[in-house]
Amino acid sequence: MSERNRIVPRVGMVGGGQLSRMTHQAGIGLGVDFSVLAAGPTDSAALVCGGVTLGDDRGLDDVLAFAKAHDVVTFDHEHVPEPVLRAVEEAGGLLRPGRDALRFAQDKLRMRTRMAELGAPSPRWRAVTTLEHVTAFAEGAGWPVVLKAARGGYDGKGVWVVGDAGEARGVVDRAAAEEVPLLVEEKVDFGRELAVQVARSPHGQVAVYPVVETVQRGGICHEVIAPAPDLPEDKALRAQQLAIEIAQALDVTGVLAVELFETDDDVVVNELAMRPHNSGHWSIEGARTSQFEQHLRAVLNLPLGSPRTNAPYTVMANLLGGEDPEVYRRYLHVMAKDPEVKVHFYGKDVRPGRKIGHVTVMGDDYRDLLERARDAASYLRGEQK
């Protein structure tokens, strides 16, 4: 087919990780011409995607050339430098979400400032450059406090809970030596962590998913229960409305994940991610429209799909690599024991603590589902013989 007669939209995703891999899978059904900019041929998405460009997914030359070859470009991470994004847009590249929205997911200081302007419930915080700044903040908020790198942190990296000035000193000194901007936040007294995915298209249509409960250990998401059990309706509606308001105020295109703390009387904004997110993987089986299909629909300005659930509950458990790399041979036991468990592997080399896949299971009793998902994940990690 000639370029002039081409009608299939070309979507490029910067980054070759598992989010690109699962977005590619969703794009097949939509008939989208989908390709990725991956750092290497063994990246998760590069192993399965028909269109792969190898290059620096944070470098100006490679990102700019990739954008020129596609109708729209989106992202599986927030680490493309802002000057690169600006150069792509100035050259006529279509980024969704755009640079003006992405900066709030890239920089926690900007995000916190904007949340304050919007009146979104947030922890007390301030930018800090010295130990004196931290101790002055702690005098009002109380120890322990949470120190965060303003840029670049994920999966617990770049976040430190410090109990006194001695612990804070080491973090502040390292940040200063590495020229990493810091902020300090109060340690919120919360009951559990929640998350909401909302999709928004360029013409302003939104679709919001049920509020989910996320189980975090060591800063890494281990399990997700969708919807969050026993969440009062007023809090659930508050969380969903808050996600919609943030997406609209920041002019987000695509999927926005809003991570929240549930307190006794409210929900509090913790983090933002402008892309498909780990807390939404349950939606592949558990929702009428997965977060990955929804993201593609949004960036292509297509009508959004239904976010309704397919079962009363869906539970997802992440698979983290253990000491035994032979995970695939354990399929047999897991599939035979519980045929309703769905297994997703990302094609990654197995390393201890690395996310290598996830499992999901749907049903009526979330406690039973949690037990089944945990059992399958534990066996696939090699913790059971």
Side-chain angles (χ1 to χ4, degrees):
M1 180 181 293
S2 70
E3 185 69 16
R4 184 173 182 178
N5 294 326
R6 181 182 54 80
I7 60 173
V8 176
R10 295 175 301 186
V11 179
M13 199 165 208
V14 175
Q18 64 262 28
L19 299 180
S20 286
R21 183 185 179 105
M22 288 181 275
T23 305
H24 159 64
Q25 291 173 296
I28 293 171
L30 293 175
V32 172
D33 182 352
F34 182 87
S35 61
V36 298
L37 175 59
T42 60
D43 283 3
S44 179
L47 293 172
V48 298
C49 187
V52 179
T53 299
L54 299 181
D56 183 356
D57 62 5
R58 307 180 193 193
L60 174 57
D61 292 342
D62 289 340
V63 175
L64 184 57
F66 186 70
K68 288 179 178 178
H70 294 85
D71 298 310
V72 59
V73 169
T74 188
F75 307 88
D76 88 338
H77 61 72
E78 293 96 358
H79 306 309
V80 181
E82 190 172 353
V84 174
L85 301 174
R86 181 186 302 111
V88 171
E89 290 187 332
E90 289 175 349
L94 180 57
L95 304 180
R96 289 180 171 166
R99 173 175 59 91
D100 287 343
L102 277 169
R103 62 197 182 105
F104 295 109
Q106 292 180 320
D107 190 312
K108 293 179 175 63
L109 288 171
R110 285 176 171 171
M111 184 269 284
R112 285 293 181 219
T113 300
R114 189 70 177 112
M115 292 303 99
E117 292 170 351
L118 296 175
S122 303
R124 287 177 287 175
W125 67 279
R126 69 166 290 184
V128 294
T129 56
T130 67
L131 179 61
E132 288 72 23
H133 290 160
V134 178
T135 56
F137 178 87
E139 286 177 4
W143 298 99
V145 296
V146 182
L147 286 168
K148 292 184 177 181
R151 302 177 68 90
Y154 66 97
D155 281 350
K157 299 179 177 67
V159 178
W160 304 270
V161 179
V162 295
D164 55 38
E167 292 181 7
R169 182 187 300 278
V171 177
V172 172
D173 289 347
R174 286 196 303 274
E178 297 172 8
E179 299 182 341
V180 175
L182 285 179
L183 66 157
V184 62
E185 296 179 356
E186 67 174 319
K187 190 174 185 299
V188 176
D189 183 15
F190 62 90
R192 58 179 167 174
E193 295 188 63
L194 305 172
V196 188
Q197 274 75 35
V198 58
R200 181 176 180 273
S201 67
H203 66 258
Q205 184 187 7
V206 295
V208 64
Y209 287 86
V211 183
V212 304
E213 177 178 345
T214 66
V215 179
Q216 311 279 336
R217 302 189 190 104
I220 297 175
C221 179
H222 278 245
E223 296 155 357
V224 174
I225 309 170
D230 305 316
L231 182 65
E233 184 178 3
D234 60 335
K235 278 188 179 178
L237 291 173
R238 167 68 170 144
Q240 290 176 310
Q241 185 59 41
L242 181 61
I244 291 171
E245 291 171 357
I246 292 171
Q248 291 174 329
L250 303 188
D251 196 24
V252 173
T253 299
V255 167
L256 168 71
V258 181
E259 297 182 78
L260 302 159
F261 297 125
E262 181 189 8
T263 64
D264 288 342
D265 55 2
D266 205 352
V267 290
V268 176
V269 175
N270 181 23
E271 304 279 0
L272 303 179
M274 293 181 193
R275 51 173 170 75
H277 190 259
N278 198 173
S279 61
H281 291 354
W282 66 272
S283 64
I284 296 174
E285 284 86 21
R288 304 293 173 86
T289 310
S290 76
Q291 66 164 344
F292 302 100
E293 178 183 339
Q294 200 79 285
H295 186 71
L296 285 173
R297 286 188 182 216
V299 301
L300 289 169
N301 209 12
L302 296 171
L304 300 181
S306 169
R308 290 178 58 192
T309 58
N310 289 326
Y313 290 102
T314 301
V315 169
M316 183 217 74
N318 273 322
L319 301 177
L320 302 181
E323 298 297 334
D324 181 358
E326 296 298 326
V327 292
Y328 297 100
R329 62 183 173 82
R330 291 192 284 273
Y331 268 162
L332 179 65
H333 171 89
V334 170
M335 291 180 174
K337 181 178 181 180
D338 195 340
E340 294 186 359
V341 169
K342 298 295 185 181
V343 182
H344 297 258
F345 273 108
Y346 305 150
K348 293 182 174 182
D349 292 336
V350 177
R351 295 200 299 265
R354 187 187 198 190
K355 289 180 185 174
I356 59 171
H358 70 268
V359 299
T360 54
V361 60
M362 299 186 295
D364 298 326
D365 183 344
Y366 76 88
R367 295 179 182 86
D368 172 66
L369 299 177
L370 265 176
E371 183 177 342
R372 291 162 61 191
R374 287 170 177 169
D375 182 72
S378 173
Y379 195 87
L380 288 168
R381 285 194 297 264
E383 295 170 355
Q384 303 179 44
K385 302 298 183 183

